[in-house]
Amino acid sequence: MEQETILSEEFEITGGDFINGGMASCRIKNILKEIGIDAEIMRRVAIASYEAEMNVVMYAKKGKMKLILTPHRIVIKVEDEGPGIPDIELAMQPGYSTATPEMREMGFGAGMGLPNIQKNADIFNINSTVGKGTNLQIVINLNNKNV
Amino acid sequence: MSDPIPYHSIKVDEKKCIGCVVCMKVCPTKAIRIKEKKAAVNAERCIDCGECYRACPYGAITPLTTKTSDITRFKIKVALPSPVLYSQFGSNIMPDQILNALKAIGFDYVYDESLACEMISIAIEEYLERNKSPRPIISSTCPVVVRLIQRLFPSLVSLIIRMEPPREIAAKNLKKELSKEHKISEQDIGIFHITSCPAKMVSINKPETMEKSYLDGAISIKEIYNQLMAQLKKEEHNFILQTQSQASGIGIGWAISGGEIRGIKQDASVSVSGVHDTIRILSDVESGKIKNIEYLECLICPDGCIGGPLTVENRFLAKSHILKLIRKFGRKNRIDISYVKQLYDKNFFSFERNIQPKPFPPLDPDKNEAIKKLKKKERILKNLPGINCGVCGAPDCESFAEDLVKGEKGLTIGRCVFLGE
């Protein structure tokens, strides 16, 4: 059963906007600091949400990132309108990337995005439909001291 | 005993302060409010960066460094000049002359900090090689950067290199050697850093990583400058230039941004200086944006320590002088590498205790209350004009909204001149 939501915020992400890319995850980071979430948990959220946001910026037309806080966990949901991922298993392999040379020149596309999200998440779900888009759900549990 | 109010290296002179908002606007941690026409510093938020001191047009911010008259209480007085001092007297005055002048004005011993800098460069390289902890490892040299990380980026505290900066390592060595040589107690030896930065006083009076600092004070370059200049003039004609100074360009180079990484052979190193760029890069590190970087040198002053607020020489000229000295003294190590490795093995460079994160308090200690206050803050913020004029006494509308929801005494939304009473 889904736990009671105590905070829910949604942020728009624009595909191709590398200048503002990272704003949503930065905003989430600041919210978590203001409500006193433990620094290590906050950092895991910051890294996972930044990677997820940049995936939308790099590959999709647009997307939404949602922060949901419950008494025991932080949930980040990312939905995008993008090309979708044909082979999720392959995309999850460290080093696999479909980034263009331009993206690589900007320092992206090392193929570590999804594995990095998974590494920092307690639960990570990914669903994708080719031609429609990709949905991510990232769950990071709060320690007892944060409850 | 409860923790007293944090010690700071600068103080507001209420007689001179007219509440002009300049310091409040430049403070990177939003620690300053104008209350009853005077600047009031929130001790919990201040990181001693000195931006307010630099900006104040009325000279109302005073640095609390050691006065030269204070050194007399020690039997043996030692000066430990930062290599920044070598950049302050033009490009024709050599380090040896400055060291001699320091001795002539009343110090029993003068130790060139750049030797310790060179030593630490070797030790950093050793640390990077032996330590496989997450990257980037962040320099611990600038005491303000350490405080900034503790406060603003608490999750990065574990990335700070667990190694004391050159000034402490030099002082530790000196105390040991001199007390042995003169057979006197370490307490009778006073070691004073000659510094461009008031924040060194904080790391001396309230060290984060040890029980007690090995230094006994920090004398501002501004304070000692005239005396040194007079001495240098006096010595001008009878000084035989000694070019066998022990320092190398590696150590002297620590005076400017990039000095630390210039001394190590690790290519994947980055140096950043200035408070805003430092905040920007640390924020990127926190989000995991910075990849494949081994070592990150951050210095809070523009261009590094030569940009310190307690210097006299124009920063750009000072930088040029240091670059000239780096060329002159070369990049060949003068310090015995195997000696440094021996000390490293004995943990001579290591912190006595780890740095603790000290994040700013959340909007409320209770998470549910904090979320309520966060929503209230957003509602208030929507009503405020958003032009961040500072007339209310807070640096921007967001800080004003935050002060309101935190329930600051006597503060109402009517303080905003655009909304009126």
Side-chain angles (χ1 to χ4, degrees):
Chain A
M1 201 177 80
E2 187 59 49
Q3 291 168 323
E4 178 204 359
T5 297
I6 48 177
L7 177 76
S8 169
E9 299 264 345
E10 197 173 275
F11 307 92
E12 303 281 334
I13 308 166
T14 312
D17 184 359
F18 283 90
I19 292 169
N20 292 307
M23 294 283 266
S25 55
C26 191
R27 184 78 192 100
I28 287 174
K29 194 168 80 180
N30 289 339
I31 289 174
L32 298 182
K33 279 184 184 177
E34 284 195 297
I35 56 181
I37 297 292
D38 174 77
E40 202 35 57
I41 291 177
M42 195 273 314
R43 185 158 186 237
R44 285 168 59 201
V45 176
I47 293 173
S49 62
Y50 175 73
E51 295 283 8
E53 183 176 1
M54 291 320 289
N55 277 346
V56 178
V57 171
M58 280 193 284
Y59 299 107
K61 274 200 297 254
K62 61 176 183 174
K64 273 188 282 199
M65 176 141 69
K66 201 168 182 182
L67 162 73
I68 300 156
L69 183 71
T70 76
H72 299 288
R73 55 198 209 167
I74 294 167
V75 183
I76 305 285
K77 287 184 174 172
V78 185
E79 294 175 19
D80 72 38
E81 292 173 28
I85 303 169
D87 187 342
I88 289 177
E89 212 177 305
L90 188 61
M92 290 299 297
Q93 279 178 18
Y96 177 81
S97 173
T98 57
T100 62
E102 289 80 14
M103 291 174 191
R104 287 174 202 267
E105 255 175 41
M106 285 195 279
F108 299 105
M112 293 308 291
L114 292 174
N116 217 356
I117 297 174
Q118 191 172 38
K119 198 176 93 188
N120 284 289
D122 289 311
I123 304 170
F124 175 55
N125 292 317
I126 175 164
N127 286 305
S128 190
T129 314
V130 174
K132 274 187 89 176
T134 303
N135 290 351
L136 303 183
Q137 192 197 34
I138 302 158
V139 179
I140 292 171
N141 294 329
L142 297 170
N143 286 343
N144 288 333
K145 63 182 175 189
N146 283 300
V147 181
Chain B
M1 204 175 78
S2 65
D3 203 21
I5 296 169
Y7 167 83
H8 288 295
S9 60
I10 41 173
K11 119 178 171 240
V12 180
D13 181 342
E14 295 213 340
K15 279 190 205 120
K16 289 182 182 168
C17 177
I18 64 154
C20 71
V21 316
V22 170
C23 61
M24 179 179 81
K25 295 297 261 182
V26 298
C27 175
T29 58
K30 299 178 184 177
I32 302 177
R33 299 289 181 273
I34 306 298
K35 290 179 181 166
E36 288 162 20
K37 296 182 183 163
K38 301 288 169 201
V41 182
N42 177 335
E44 294 292 341
R45 292 188 79 95
C46 174
I47 55 163
D48 295 273
C49 65
E51 290 292 309
C52 54
Y53 170 73
R54 264 181 231 282
C56 177
Y58 301 96
I61 313 265
T62 319
L64 301 172
T65 45
T66 310
K67 300 284 161 236
T68 36
S69 52
D70 292 347
I71 69 172
T72 49
R73 64 181 204 274
F74 293 92
K75 280 187 187 148
I76 293 180
K77 301 165 261 301
V78 186
L80 181 65
S82 152
V84 172
L85 193 64
Y86 305 149
S87 69
Q88 301 291 296
F89 303 94
S91 58
N92 293 323
I93 305 274
M94 289 297 116
D96 279 356
Q97 285 171 277
I98 296 166
L99 298 177
N100 279 351
L102 271 170
K103 212 166 168 190
I105 65 167
F107 289 98
D108 302 305
Y109 286 92
V110 179
Y111 181 86
D112 184 353
E113 196 200 352
S114 55
L115 289 172
C117 294
E118 192 183 322
M119 204 184 244
I120 302 295
S121 286
I122 300 166
I124 291 172
E125 221 169 62
E126 203 60 18
Y127 187 100
L128 292 175
E129 205 159 287
R130 296 193 196 187
N131 217 298
K132 296 298 165 208
S133 57
R135 300 308 206 232
I137 287 172
I138 305 170
S139 159
S140 65
T141 303
C142 176
V144 182
V145 170
V146 170
R147 293 166 80 79
L148 179 74
I149 293 173
Q150 285 179 296
R151 297 285 190 207
L152 240 56
F153 304 100
S155 72
L156 304 183
V157 160
S158 60
L159 297 179
I160 299 173
I161 191 164
R162 291 187 188 90
M163 215 163 76
E164 292 296 345
R167 57 185 184 279
E168 285 294 346
I169 292 299
K172 186 176 175 177
N173 220 357
L174 284 166
K175 282 240 155 131
K176 215 170 68 181
E177 297 291 323
L178 289 172
S179 78
K180 217 190 316 174
E181 194 185 322
H182 292 268
K183 297 189 179 62
I184 59 168
S185 150
E186 289 193 4
Q187 287 171 348
D188 289 330
I189 303 164
I191 302 183
F192 300 91
H193 193 228
I194 312 297
T195 185
S196 57
C197 140
K200 300 282 160 49
M201 282 308 280
V202 185
S203 66
I204 293 169
N205 286 342
K206 287 273 171 206
E208 293 287 339
T209 55
M210 53 176 83
E211 204 48 54
K212 191 182 174 301
S213 166
Y214 291 96
L215 287 154
D216 298 283
I219 297 169
S220 135
I221 289 180
K222 263 188 182 169
E223 154 125 5
I224 212 165
Y225 184 84
N226 285 346
Q227 252 179 303
L228 279 179
M229 197 53 166
Q231 188 61 35
L232 285 164
K233 285 230 165 83
K234 211 163 31 175
E235 298 281 332
E236 209 169 30
H237 303 295
N238 55 21
F239 189 84
I240 304 158
L241 196 67
Q242 299 172 9
T243 46
Q244 71 272 31
S245 169
Q246 295 210 355
S248 75
I250 300 172
I252 293 171
W254 277 57
I256 54 175
S257 172
E260 251 180 274
I261 66 169
R262 198 179 296 110
I264 60 175
K265 290 177 191 77
Q266 181 52 254
D267 286 338
S269 307
V270 167
S271 71
V272 175
S273 68
V275 66
H276 296 290
D277 285 337
T278 296
I279 289 175
R280 204 165 297 150
I281 194 135
L282 291 174
S283 182
D284 286 352
V285 172
E286 196 178 44
S287 299
K289 278 191 213 180
I290 303 292
K291 296 184 173 89
N292 308 322
I293 295 296
E294 283 286 307
Y295 192 68
L296 179 60
E297 172 203 309
C298 293
L299 297 169
I300 216 74
C301 291
D303 282 327
C305 299
I306 51 149
L310 304 179
T311 52
V312 176
E313 177 69 290
N314 171 294
R315 183 175 109 219
F316 305 102
L317 291 182
K319 189 175 176 181
S320 154
H321 301 334
I322 287 291
L323 289 171
K324 203 168 162 187
L325 287 175
I326 293 174
R327 282 196 298 276
K328 186 173 171 64
F329 287 83
R331 291 184 185 186
K332 207 165 157 247
N333 269 325
R334 309 262 169 118
I335 297 275
D336 179 3
I337 296 178
S338 61
Y339 171 63
V340 176
K341 287 187 180 176
Q342 271 174 33
L343 288 177
Y344 188 97
D345 286 333
K346 288 181 193 154
N347 289 328
F348 188 75
F349 303 106
S350 309
F351 287 164
E352 280 172 21
R353 59 177 187 224
N354 283 337
I355 297 172
Q356 296 303 317
K358 291 179 181 171
F360 290 147
L363 290 174
D364 196 281
D366 177 279
K367 205 152 275 83
N368 287 318
E369 280 304 307
I371 291 168
K372 275 186 206 159
K373 286 184 178 174
L374 181 76
K375 289 184 174 163
K376 193 174 168 196
K377 183 182 142 186
E378 279 170 7
R379 280 199 304 278
I380 294 171
L381 207 48
K382 265 185 200 149
N383 286 320
L384 292 172
I387 58 171
N388 304 326
C389 65
V391 177
C392 63
D396 48 36
C397 294
E398 187 171 353
S399 305
F400 178 54
E402 192 171 318
D403 291 349
L404 276 173
V405 296
K406 279 188 169 173
E408 188 157 323
K409 225 171 129 192
L411 192 68
T412 63
I413 192 129
R415 184 76 67 81
C416 174
V417 288
F418 294 93
L419 299 180
E421 288 294 339

